[in-house]
Amino acid sequence: MPKLSRALLSRLSPITHNIGTAANLAEAQALARLHLARTGHAVRIAPAVVGFSVVEVR
């Protein structure tokens, strides 16, 4: 049972790593595309307090 709940927990809260922030959506998309092309890891763009944050999701 602990193995099952650990797997469920990892699905609910994926490990993320902040790549950077951008002033507008176009810059955030360019940064996300560059990171995806360079590393092959999935990225997510989310609104931040100021601008947009680009976060790697593993």
Side-chain angles (χ1 to χ4, degrees):
M1 188 70 173
K3 189 175 188 179
L4 183 66
S5 57
R6 204 175 321 140
L8 180 62
L9 183 61
S10 69
R11 296 281 186 218
L12 293 176
S13 58
I15 299 170
T16 61
H17 177 71
N18 191 11
I19 302 302
T21 57
N24 57 37
L25 184 58
E27 289 178 4
Q29 288 173 335
L31 182 60
R33 287 184 186 118
L34 179 66
H35 183 74
L36 179 64
R38 193 180 308 161
T39 64
H41 294 148
V43 293
R44 175 175 55 96
I45 299 173
V49 175
V50 177
F52 293 88
S53 64
V54 180
V55 180
E56 179 181 314
V57 180
R58 294 183 183 181

